[in-house]
Amino acid sequence: MAQGSGLTRGDRNRNQRIAALRAVVRRDRAVLAIDLGEDKQVAAVVDHEGRVLARKTVKAKAYQLGELLAWAAGKAAAAGFAGLVVACEPTGHRWKAVMGLADAAGHGFVCVQSLAVARAREGDDYTRDKTDHRDAYLIGKLVIRLDCYLPERADEVWARLRHLGARRFALVADVISCMQQVSDLLACAWPAALEVAARPLEATTWLAAMGAVVDRCNGNPARLRTMGYEKFVAAVRRELPRWGAKNIYHKIVKGLWEALADTGGVAAQRRGALERVHLLMGDWRSLLARLADAEERMSAVLDELGLRELVTSIDGLSAVGAAVILAETGELTRFASARSVVKHAGLNPSEHTSATLAGKTRISHRGRPALRAAAWRAVWGGMRHNRVLRARHAHLTGRDGNRLSDGQARAACAATLLRWLYAVVSRRQMWDPRIAAGVIPARRGAVTAPAAA
């Protein structure tokens, strides 16, 4: 609490956020609220009493709305306002075009969350009626109540990292789709091939061996038995580089060699299913190559930002893992605190208490799902190499801790990882495991201990 004021940290942060919004949504500015569409834009000019001063519907793309902004500025001036603030929902990339036009014209610009508009739609007259004209008014109404936010204005380098992160996220989804399809097809047509390893689709030797089989078998794996085991091993060795591997695991190769003679599965489906597996393996290799290219580009952006050495000082966090997280957060210095980053990911505890009632606390799941996924995936690698993170997980799941489940503890560790990343990037200080573990107190300009997380 602030000395003598009784204000909490949340109060102070909220007050700062309101002040920043009020500097843009000034009372001497009218609000131009736009319900964005692909080819049709519906706009309403609203004053601070919630009165609609003018309406207009434009058949144009979002980047062609310069004339609409000029028309709204004229209506605002005629009503006695000194300026204009433009508002819309963050729809696709259209809002960025509108923001560029507003900035170029010297207007203010804010965004309103789509969820807030949906809630306002229900609260306005207790119906779920939806029209473009009504939504435009509701956007304006939310803005004059300051139920809006200042969007990120990324520079060229951060914007590039954002786009590369989006591409990588899509490629990872495609790779996982290939894995699942291969698994389903083999479970139907040749289940014995999946039994030769605990996690066959994650083993490069199995992938190389399966690639060698489907390239040659023409729907009948047993025919490869005629080539002999030594030649089969040689074929697998030649396949290894295509999957980014060098060493062969003979137990898996031997198991797949024995499985060649297995006739289990649906015989009528085998030829077609293995042909699909052959095509999917080719797609898979292509996707892995494109994924590696995207990750290399993202790592290069970290170098351009001068962040590689800082983020990789966190034990267990690779340059790619950090770049994936930063692609979703954007520039971390725009956040007021590390807690804001965690809330942005939806990893903050969602508390339910009232008087003597204490409900079950879960993570909020609000915010950016891709950021939450990136932090969650980074924890799995970080746990192996970061003793502080590993100790935190053990404490949270141990008898002396909160007795959380493994998944709950990993979510808490993902939040901790985001706090560490915020600290090292925003303060430009290397990660210190002693401060992170609470052995020595955090100093000004040093990383924050996880105890504050």
Side-chain angles (χ1 to χ4, degrees), residues 6-229:
L7 298 180
T8 65
R9 179 178 59 182
D11 292 330
R12 295 194 300 273
N13 290 338
R14 191 179 304 109
N15 291 345
Q16 292 173 3
R17 186 167 62 252
I18 291 172
L21 280 172
R22 181 55 72 191
V24 176
V25 189
R26 302 200 308 258
R27 298 189 186 277
D28 63 345
R29 284 177 169 177
V31 177
L32 171 62
I34 308 174
D35 185 64
L36 292 175
E38 181 63 31
D39 297 301
K40 177 186 173 183
Q41 323 299 336
V42 177
V45 181
V46 183
D47 69 8
H48 285 266
E49 300 301 324
R51 293 185 294 252
V52 178
L53 304 177
R55 281 190 179 276
K56 191 170 186 177
T57 300
V58 179
K59 295 281 184 74
K61 298 288 187 180
Y63 60 83
Q64 298 171 328
L65 294 182
E67 291 184 5
L68 175 65
L69 269 61
W71 166 84
K75 292 295 183 181
F81 288 95
L84 191 70
V85 56
V86 183
C88 62
E89 297 176 73
T91 307
H93 291 284
R94 301 185 195 115
W95 68 272
K96 296 177 183 177
V98 177
M99 181 174 68
L101 293 172
D103 290 347
H107 304 314
F109 183 83
V110 294
C111 281
V112 176
Q113 289 287 4
S114 300
L115 179 61
V117 177
R119 292 284 188 265
R121 193 182 301 132
E122 295 178 9
D124 191 39
D125 59 3
Y126 304 106
T127 69
R128 295 185 179 179
D129 296 342
K130 183 185 187 315
T131 65
D132 294 342
H133 288 279
R134 187 182 179 199
D135 282 0
Y137 169 71
L138 291 174
I139 291 170
K141 185 178 177 180
L142 289 167
V143 171
I144 62 178
R145 287 163 36 186
L146 295 184
D147 288 336
C148 54
Y149 68 95
L150 300 174
E152 176 190 14
R153 282 176 164 79
D155 63 21
E156 183 177 306
V157 181
W158 279 103
R160 183 183 174 218
L161 185 60
R162 282 272 199 189
H163 287 292
L164 288 172
R167 174 172 171 77
R168 182 190 180 277
F169 190 84
L171 288 172
V172 168
D174 289 341
V175 168
I176 293 173
S177 175
C178 283
M179 292 175 65
Q180 292 174 337
Q181 289 182 69
V182 168
S183 177
D184 290 344
L185 289 168
L186 291 177
C188 171
W190 188 22
L194 296 173
E195 298 172 359
V196 302
R199 295 181 177 177
L201 293 147
E202 299 176 17
T204 52
T205 296
W206 185 91
L207 292 172
M210 181 54 63
V213 170
V214 295
D215 281 352
R216 296 167 174 81
C217 73
N218 194 27
N220 181 17
R223 66 185 295 180
L224 268 68
R225 298 278 296 185
T226 59
M227 68 189 301
Y229 180 69

Side-chain angles (χ1 to χ4, degrees), residues 96 152 154-169 294-307 311 319-332 368 421 425:
K96 296 177 183 177
E152 176 190 14
D155 63 21
E156 183 177 306
V157 181
W158 279 103
R160 183 183 174 218
L161 185 60
R162 282 272 199 189
H163 287 292
L164 288 172
R167 174 172 171 77
R168 182 190 180 277
F169 190 84
E295 291 177 345
E296 184 178 350
R297 291 171 185 267
M298 293 175 75
S299 297
V301 174
L302 278 190
D303 291 331
E304 194 172 347
L305 292 168
L307 295 178
V311 297
V320 171
V324 171
I325 293 174
L326 292 175
E328 293 299 323
T329 62
E331 191 171 2
L332 283 173
R368 295 180 69 91
L421 195 59
V425 171

Side-chain angles (χ1 to χ4, degrees), residues 390-409:
R390 194 162 55 246
R392 179 168 176 75
H393 179 274
H395 170 71
L396 292 173
T397 56
R399 291 185 177 182
D400 297 333
N402 297 317
R403 297 300 297 271
L404 300 181
S405 67
D406 178 68
Q408 290 172 327

